[in-house]
């Protein structure tokens, strides 16, 4: 008896998965303890798959049929339908499922988790978060002797590449995105990356795993990097920071805060040194202290490595009679509204260049109950005789921050609030 | 029915494990899906354990009896005997075992792996390598869709603290060790850390897991940091490196090279930024690319977190009928002798300060078939009119390096070979 593996969806990642399952079959079978057999590859474009060199006898365009003939189904179509339908059909006919489908898991994970539990099969999704980095395995299975307090992730390689390029080459956002597109780090339509939607889906999955709760994409407050200017990036460096798009999942007393936004990260923080299109996840746990995982978060081959690792885990469970992790949402902690999140923030503004200005501004912050950590004043480069004021605050709720900015904008001494960025990465 | 957990050995880590199993019992039981029950704590010093606040009814000095009354036995005595005897007895009576005992696993792992397989029980040992960092889980279970090519680890916090202090405070080794002792980062007798024995045991475990082979402590060639001078550390910085004690496990064509030695790591390498007593493991895999894991490698609480995580894994397997990973040594790749290892190296020497010296030295390297990557010459600070020459080579076997140094020492133009350090961290 061998273990039948079916691959549904044969694009960039799928074709690499098929290649690994074919060329590494001896080694993988040794790890499983039984023979892995690729029984079929389903794709609507049969010709393209055959042109990649896949045995034509294995290639079908009938995924609905294929998924009922396998012990392990690898879903790599992406998106909601028909991916969900095929996964549910696979589980209903007793197959374990391996997927990289972060969008579907973030939007409608519970349907899939419940179906897997009901069918008594495994659902693995290492490749859905940060590609080759085994963050799902670590957060889902490795931290369960501990309480995770916060997860900070650089989980979108495109935006990290763009921000890193802005910092190192002094480019504005638009030109850095073009650069990323030219080098293949950004899609022709970069919206999902730049606006943070991709990172938000991963944030939902990280929060669900870290806090044993069910957090959906709709629970994640999301702000992309569209508003980050070359000036923001330059001022970040001047104040000892670097701008990163962070996925934040945080356990507060009242519940969970899950959000994606650009943030100033202190240069001394390990996440600050994550360059280019790399990904990293920084996990702060009650007893283990901080742990960081770092590596390639995308790309066909790294992602395929994570998928095949899941196939081996699912196959080993078949052989040993074991069971992969289940999404037990026993903690069921409420997800807090965005206003509840607490961050330090840095506000840059052009102000009148005369005495008494700082007193008025300090009073406005004090009125909003926001405490100032540091102030830096520079002559503003413009012709209007203004000063450029950079204020970094202590922790404040998002509500207090919004109120503060509104109050500052009403002050006659404030010409323009140029930029407001959260500061993240203080050690808990 | 609850799952009975016994803790054998209640020192720094054990007492934290007992505390977590007691205070977190509700949460841990929820993760397991069944009730975890601490049924006993064995320690020769009963009074000390009771003084820590452990329920006296649970404390015994009869470990041999206790291990037969549990479903999961946590072994935290350390060393060979009686730890091995208690673990074997526990497995023989059907208990799964969780241990942090790197010394015993590295010296005699196969006896324990085989006993676990024969008894059909689990053997987990996350805490044996790099404390709270889930490197065992990742290498043992997370990379099995891939081929690991090399593992580079900073796995001894004491020596990393000492080397970091030497670099940042310009201290010599002896004073940096004293500093580490004063702060609790080094033992009163720092031999096992300074001479690399602790790192060598972890290197053996990393190599066994990464290459699905049985690598024992005796297979690891080991050189500690005893010979690293303040001058070495200063020159490392001048040439764009930092000195680290590395555990290296590498897959070469002919077999496995496993070694521990101080090495120059380029400042651009992620391992170079691992400061203080932190640990990190850098894994290079065929398809996943490089992955780094980073965090606290020691300390009672972080280590206890890793142990309790293993307890939950072992307990979950009991509940679901599953099976943890087995140490399948199917690859059985031979371990190469130390002479086979290939590294770049940097040699510093005091040489006669006259023309023609570099020609003679270059000829000596060429004769040994070692190719020069860079040369740097400075006036030597001494009174004898010598020059200080720093040569960095391309990759050479250890045998070629030893022959080269002997040849250099025979040259009349070479006054002294001051230092020879390997350079590691080139990307594969």
């Amino acid at each position: 008896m061998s273990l039948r593996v079916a691959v549904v969806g044969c694009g960039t990642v799928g074709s690499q998965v098929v290649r690994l399952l074919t060329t590494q079959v001896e080694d993988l079978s040794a790890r499983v303890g039984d023979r892995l057999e690729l029984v079929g590859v389903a794709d609507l474009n049969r010709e393209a798959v055959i042109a990649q060199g896949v045995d034509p006898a294995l290639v079908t365009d009938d995924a609905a049929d294929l998924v009922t003939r396998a012990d392990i189904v690898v879903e790599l179509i992406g998106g909601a339908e028909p991916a969900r339908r095929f996964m549910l059909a696979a589980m209903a006919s007793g197959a374990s499922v391996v997927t990289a489908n972060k969008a579907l898991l973030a939007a409608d994970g519970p349907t899939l988790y419940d179906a897997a539990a009901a069918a008594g099969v495994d659902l693995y999704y290492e490749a859905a978060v940060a590609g080759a980095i085994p963050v799902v395995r670590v957060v889902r299975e490795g931290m369960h002797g501990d309480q995770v307090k916060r997860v900070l992730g650089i989980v979108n390689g495109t935006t990290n590449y763009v921000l890193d390029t802005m910092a190192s080459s002094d480019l504005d956002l638009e030109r850095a995105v073009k650069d990323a597109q030219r080098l293949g780090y950004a899609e022709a339509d970069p919206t999902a990356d730049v606006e943070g939607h991709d990172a938000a889906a991963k944030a939902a999955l990280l929060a669900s795993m870290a806090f044993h709760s069910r957090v959906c994409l709709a629970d994640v407050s999301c702000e992309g990097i569209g508003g980050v200017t070359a000036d923001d990036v330059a001022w970040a460096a001047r104040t000892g920071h670097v701008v990163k798009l962070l996925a934040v999942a945080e356990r507060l007393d009242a519940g969970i805060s899950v959000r994606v936004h650009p943030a100033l990260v202190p240069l001394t923080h390990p996440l600050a040194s994550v360059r280019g299109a790399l990904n990293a996840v920084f996990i702060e746990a009650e007893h283990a202290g901080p742990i960081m995982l770092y590596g390639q978060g995308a790309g066909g081959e790294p992602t395929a490595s994570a998928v095949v690792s899941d196939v081996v885990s699912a196959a080993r469970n078949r052989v040993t009679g074991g069971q992969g992790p289940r999404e037990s949402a026993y903690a069921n902690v409420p997800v807090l509204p965005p206003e509840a999140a607490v961050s330090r923030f840095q506000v840059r503004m052009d102000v009148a260049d005369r005495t008494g200005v700082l007193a008025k501004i300090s009073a406005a912050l004090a009125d909003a109950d926001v405490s100032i950590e540091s102030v830096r004043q520079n002559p503003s480069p413009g012709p209007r005789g203004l000063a450029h004021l950079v204020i970094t605050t202590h922790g404040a709720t998002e509500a207090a921050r919004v109120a503060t900015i509104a109050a500052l904008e009403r002050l006659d001494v404030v010409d323009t609030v140029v930029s407001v960025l959260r500061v993240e990465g203080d050690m808990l």
Side-chain angles (χ1 to χ4, degrees), chain A:
Chain A
M1 260 296 285
S2 60
L3 286 154
R4 300 163 299 164
V5 182
V7 175
V8 180
C10 195
T12 312
V13 176
S15 59
Q16 292 289 336
V17 169
V18 168
R19 186 174 69 81
L20 291 181
L21 289 174
T22 310
T23 59
Q24 315 276 315
V25 62
E26 296 304 326
D27 215 33
L28 297 172
S29 299
R31 291 173 199 197
V32 169
D34 200 344
R35 186 145 194 92
L36 278 188
E37 186 192 354
L38 180 65
V39 294
V41 180
D43 200 288
L44 288 180
N45 191 339
R46 280 195 71 229
E47 302 313 313
V49 175
I50 292 168
Q52 286 164 17
V54 179
D55 178 357
L58 292 178
V59 185
T60 173
D61 54 10
D62 188 353
D65 168 64
L66 177 63
V67 300
T68 63
R69 296 189 281 113
D71 301 299
I72 297 159
V73 171
V74 179
E75 184 279 310
L76 296 167
I77 310 173
E81 293 297 349
R84 175 173 28 209
R85 186 155 47 85
F86 293 144
M87 282 196 257
L88 293 174
M91 294 193 270
S93 65
S96 291
V97 168
V98 174
T99 181
N101 197 329
K102 57 185 170 283
L104 178 56
L105 287 169
D108 192 25
T111 299
L112 297 169
Y113 307 148
D114 292 345
V121 299
D122 291 336
L123 175 63
Y124 279 101
Y125 49 89
E126 182 61 70
V129 183
I133 312 172
V135 58
V136 172
R137 190 173 292 269
V138 168
V139 177
R140 200 179 180 205
E141 305 170 49
M143 305 301 295
H144 53 201
D146 212 324
Q147 313 287 332
V148 176
K149 295 188 293 184
R150 185 164 64 180
V151 181
L152 297 178
I154 295 172
V155 290
N156 180 270
T158 303
T159 46
N160 202 57
Y161 179 86
V162 166
L163 293 169
D164 193 27
T165 303
M166 289 174 74
S168 60
S169 310
D170 220 8
L171 297 181
D172 66 16
L173 182 77
E174 198 186 343
R175 286 206 294 164
V177 169
K178 288 223 170 79
D179 193 47
Q181 286 170 323
R182 189 171 52 78
L183 293 168
Y185 289 127
E187 313 261 348
D189 176 1
T191 314
D193 294 318
V194 169
E195 293 192 354
H197 304 152
D198 172 78
K202 293 164 180 170
L205 294 183
L206 285 169
S208 300
M209 292 186 288
F211 306 124
H212 308 282
S213 292
R214 289 187 167 175
V215 180
C216 286
L217 183 59
D219 298 319
V220 184
S221 74
C222 177
E223 182 189 326
I225 64 167
V228 176
T229 65
D231 223 30
D232 287 333
V233 172
W235 269 101
R238 268 174 230 152
T239 59
H241 296 90
V242 59
V243 181
K244 295 288 184 192
L245 182 70
L246 292 187
V248 183
E250 203 168 17
R251 182 78 168 85
L252 304 174
D253 287 338
I256 301 171
S257 170
V258 198
R259 52 193 199 268
V260 168
H261 54 67
L264 296 168
V265 175
L267 287 173
T268 49
H269 193 284
L271 284 173
S273 60
V274 178
R275 308 291 307 271
L278 288 169
N279 279 199
V281 176
F282 191 82
I283 305 160
E284 290 163 278
E286 183 79 26
H287 309 292
I291 291 171
M292 189 167 91
L293 293 89
Y294 164 100
Q296 296 189 48
E301 205 177 336
T303 308
S305 160
V307 168
V308 174
S309 171
D310 278 352
V311 170
V312 171
S313 292
R316 264 190 59 83
N317 289 338
R318 294 269 157 165
V319 171
T320 64
Q323 194 185 83
R326 295 287 179 264
E327 304 308 322
S328 51
Y330 63 83
N332 222 2
V333 188
V335 178
L336 301 172
E339 305 81 61
V342 174
S343 299
R344 293 162 61 215
F345 65 91
Q346 188 180 85
V347 51
R348 292 193 295 115
M349 51 201 142
D350 287 330
V351 299
D353 192 5
R354 60 173 190 260
T355 53
V357 169
L358 190 55
K360 283 201 178 181
I361 288 171
S362 306
L365 269 82
D367 283 349
D369 213 21
V370 171
S371 139
I372 294 177
E373 185 199 88
S374 69
V375 175
R376 180 171 166 154
Q377 194 161 220
N378 277 44
S380 191
R384 292 179 294 156
L386 299 170
H388 194 67
L389 195 67
V390 183
I391 291 186
T392 309
T393 72
H394 288 291
T397 60
E398 183 162 320
R401 176 165 47 82
V402 170
T404 303
I405 301 307
L408 289 172
E409 283 175 334
R410 281 193 303 269
L411 290 181
D412 59 350
V413 298
V414 173
D415 182 83
T416 325
V417 173
V418 178
S419 160
V420 185
L421 282 168
R422 298 172 189 81
V423 181
E424 297 283 351
D426 298 316
M427 294 300 175
L428 294 178

